[in-house]
Amino acid sequence: MAQGNIKKLLIANRGEIAVRIIRAARDLGIATVQVHSEADKDSRAVRMADEAVNIGPPQAAKSYLDVQAILKAAKESGADAVHPGYGFLAENAAFADAVVEAGLIFVGPSGDTIRLMGDKAAARAEAQKANVPTVPGSDGVIEDMEAAAHLAAHIGFPVMIKAAAGGGGRGIRIAHDAGEFHTLAPQASSEAKAAFGDGGIYIEKVIERARHIEVQVLGDGEDVVHFFERECSLQRRRQKVWEEAPSIVLSEDVRTQLCRSAVALAKAVKYKGAGTIEYLYDDVTGEFYFIEMNTRIQVEHPVTEMICGADLVAEMIAIAGGAKLRVGQDAIRRTGHAIEVRLNAEDPANNFMPFPGIVGELLAPDGPGVRFDHMLYPGYAVPPFYDSLLGKLIVWAEDRDKALMRLKRALGELRIDGLPTTAPLFQALLESDDLRASAVHTRWLEPWLEDNLDLIRQKGGSAT
């Protein structure tokens, strides 16, 4: 049976998340329309969907970022809702507005909410109003570089200079003293202007050896529940590569405070759909600080689904179709431990160079507690035009030690012939004493990579 007002859903995305959305829609009895560029005409999502519409050339700007082409596809196919996935237009407030103005349902929060929480300075102000702890820093966007320099000196170095708009690690610099600040602040502003059309910056105190903890929330515009936290501290160039749920370093008291603060903030902005509220956690003091909200489903949502037994994508579709929250907070339980690793078509021993190519033999790991969300099939030509993510390998077990063992087993079973992947990185990481003890932080991985290239090569990475 179709879910509420949604009978046909258009997926305005590609790759593994498109496959994931199609499956959730089918579980709800909803027909699917997959838009695609010319480069993706033979993609797995196109093969799986009930209908497919070509919306343009391979370049994302002429296809997946073309709002009018997507809306035309929705109208001509008879779709009544649009799911943006993650990336591309997922956090574009103008796109959300355009979908609604075209008489369609946007699967996600309103354009106004995306706009508010997408502006990091405005989101910080909302967090403060909701009594959610924030990192010491500027109260809003700073345009005057001299004023910014004085504030940085007052906060105390090192400080992080961040773009007020955008994400993905762009428009971010760390200044260790006043001299570096005067050099890096204009760079961050210029990069943000070029990438997001907004050169506004704000400043935050750098928390040494911080962990990245995030809370999954789900709201219906009135009520909000949380599905506990994930830890995403293993990052390269501020991009996550390995995620876990739950974080084993949090006490139950801190976990309760963290999750309650996330719900309070989401309620304050009348959040609708699935979203994630991200924090820095200070291992030394046990304090946590809000940094931003992602107003979409995230790449790492499966680890939360595994420990909570939920289908977050189906829930956000149901809410968009008019349903109220279908689960109360008291009914949400977490069990065991889950780990996700991101498998990219990159060579981790050769500066993570992307390697599009044709998939040869494909052996997907399976068995108890193993999940492989991906976009692959033998003979599929991975295009060179987009993000290199091929899929995610997710494991669950009763505790973290068993989950690490299961991940080792699953990586050993995985075979993707025809192109290098980041699998050797994770096989090498499993031998790290620090990782096994969860003695990591957001700046731990990059030095480890420099020291362990030979080990990664031994596990199957590049020999060059």
Side-chain angles (χ1 to χ4, degrees), residues 62-81:
K62 299 179 180 179
S63 52
Y64 296 108
L65 294 173
D66 187 334
V67 173
Q68 293 309 311
I70 292 170
L71 293 179
K72 181 181 178 184
K75 180 179 180 181
E76 293 180 352
S77 66
D80 38 40

Side-chain angles (χ1 to χ4, degrees), residues 291-358:
I291 48 174
E292 64 180 332
M293 182 175 193
N294 294 126
T295 53
R296 53 172 167 77
I297 196 71
Q298 286 198 260
V299 179
E300 59 270 25
H301 74 273
V303 290
T304 294
E305 294 183 330
M306 295 291 269
I307 67 165
C308 292
D311 184 334
L312 294 169
V313 177
E315 291 302 320
M316 68 187 301
I317 294 172
I319 288 168
K324 294 298 183 182
L325 284 174
R326 303 192 295 181
V327 60
Q329 191 65 65
D330 290 345
I332 300 171
R333 297 281 188 268
R334 59 183 177 87
T335 304
H337 195 92
I339 303 171
E340 172 183 299
V341 295
R342 302 190 187 193
L343 292 162
N344 289 12
E346 299 172 354
D347 185 346
N350 191 16
N351 200 31
F352 289 81
M353 182 179 292
F355 273 90
I358 297 175

Side-chain angles (χ1 to χ4, degrees), residues 364-376:
D366 56 16
V370 177
R371 170 176 166 180
F372 185 32
D373 287 15
H374 65 96
M375 55 185 274
L376 306 174

Side-chain angles (χ1 to χ4, degrees), residues 2 9 19 34 38 40 68 70 86 120 132 145 164 168 200 221 246 256 281 290 300 361 366 403 438 450:
L9 177 67
V19 172
Q34 178 63 52
E38 184 61 31
D40 278 333
Q68 293 309 311
I70 292 170
Y86 55 70
K120 293 184 179 65
V132 177
M145 290 300 164
T256 298
Y281 175 69
F290 167 82
E300 59 270 25
E361 185 177 13
D366 56 16
S438 193
E450 292 179 8

Side-chain angles (χ1 to χ4, degrees), residues 339 395 400-410 430 436:
I339 303 171
V395 298
R400 186 172 185 265
D401 287 343
K402 291 177 182 176
L404 289 168
M405 287 298 294
R406 185 160 283 169
L407 178 60
K408 182 178 181 179
R409 186 264 290 176
L430 284 167
R436 297 190 69 85

Side-chain angles (χ1 to χ4, degrees), residues 58-124:
Q59 297 89 340
K62 299 179 180 179
S63 52
Y64 296 108
L65 294 173
D66 187 334
V67 173
Q68 293 309 311
I70 292 170
L71 293 179
K72 181 181 178 184
K75 180 179 180 181
E76 293 180 352
S77 66
D80 38 40
V82 175
H83 197 308
Y86 55 70
F88 292 129
L89 295 168
E91 293 181 284
N92 186 305
F95 177 59
D97 290 341
V99 169
V100 174
E101 289 167 4
L104 304 168
I105 296 169
F106 182 76
V107 182
S110 69
D112 286 344
T113 301
I114 295 172
R115 199 171 285 110
L116 173 65
M117 301 312 287
D119 182 323
K120 293 184 179 65
R124 176 187 170 89

Side-chain angles (χ1 to χ4, degrees), residues 95-401:
F95 177 59
D97 290 341
V99 169
V100 174
E101 289 167 4
L104 304 168
I105 296 169
F106 182 76
V107 182
S110 69
D112 286 344
T113 301
I114 295 172
R115 199 171 285 110
L116 173 65
M117 301 312 287
D119 182 323
K120 293 184 179 65
R124 176 187 170 89
E126 286 296 322
Q128 290 171 338
K129 285 195 289 185
N131 295 316
V132 177
T134 57
V135 180
S138 56
D139 290 330
V141 176
I142 302 175
E143 303 286 353
D144 185 317
M145 290 300 164
E146 284 304 315
H150 285 301
L151 179 59
H154 176 73
I155 293 171
F157 293 100
V159 298
M160 185 174 291
I161 307 158
K162 304 179 75 171
R170 289 177 292 182
I172 295 178
R173 300 289 190 278
I174 293 178
H176 295 86
D177 55 44
E180 283 191 355
F181 187 89
H182 281 287
T183 300
L184 297 177
Q187 291 179 9
S189 179
S190 296
E191 184 177 330
K193 180 71 174 177
F196 313 119
D198 182 350
I201 62 170
Y202 70 106
I203 301 167
E204 285 183 350
K205 174 72 176 172
V206 171
I207 308 300
E208 300 288 353
R209 300 176 63 85
R211 291 178 183 265
H212 186 122
I213 310 286
E214 58 190 33
V215 177
Q216 176 71 57
V217 295
L218 184 72
D220 60 16
E222 295 179 4
D223 198 11
V224 176
V225 292
H226 71 79
F227 291 80
F228 298 97
E229 85 285 352
R230 302 183 283 258
E231 176 156 358
C232 311
S233 297
L234 286 179
Q235 301 179 12
R236 175 180 174 268
R237 296 182 178 176
R238 302 186 181 90
Q239 298 293 305
K240 303 164 190 172
V241 300
W242 170 305
E243 298 98 1
E244 304 189 30
S247 171
I248 68 167
V249 301
L250 298 185
S251 68
E252 283 304 316
D253 181 55
V254 170
R255 176 173 289 113
T256 298
Q257 293 179 49
L258 186 76
C259 293
R260 283 179 178 170
S261 78
V263 168
L265 178 53
K267 279 186 175 180
V269 299
K270 296 180 170 55
Y271 195 77
K272 184 177 182 179
T276 302
I277 299 181
E278 304 197 348
Y279 299 84
L280 293 180
Y281 175 69
D282 189 332
D283 248 347
V284 176
T285 65
E287 296 175 306
F288 59 86
Y289 305 96
F290 167 82
I291 48 174
E292 64 180 332
M293 182 175 193
N294 294 126
T295 53
R296 53 172 167 77
I297 196 71
Q298 286 198 260
V299 179
E300 59 270 25
H301 74 273
V303 290
T304 294
E305 294 183 330
M306 295 291 269
I307 67 165
C308 292
D311 184 334
L312 294 169
V313 177
E315 291 302 320
M316 68 187 301
I317 294 172
I319 288 168
K324 294 298 183 182
L325 284 174
R326 303 192 295 181
V327 60
Q329 191 65 65
D330 290 345
I332 300 171
R333 297 281 188 268
R334 59 183 177 87
T335 304
H337 195 92
I339 303 171
E340 172 183 299
V341 295
R342 302 190 187 193
L343 292 162
N344 289 12
E346 299 172 354
D347 185 346
N350 191 16
N351 200 31
F352 289 81
M353 182 179 292
F355 273 90
I358 297 175
V359 176
E361 185 177 13
L362 174 65
L363 296 177
D366 56 16
V370 177
R371 170 176 166 180
F372 185 32
D373 287 15
H374 65 96
M375 55 185 274
L376 306 174
Y377 60 84
Y380 173 63
V382 178
F385 307 101
Y386 315 110
D387 183 278
S388 60
L389 182 68
L390 301 174
K392 295 121 50 168
L393 179 59
I394 309 106
V395 298
W396 176 94
E398 292 83 358
D399 57 46
R400 186 172 185 265
D401 287 343

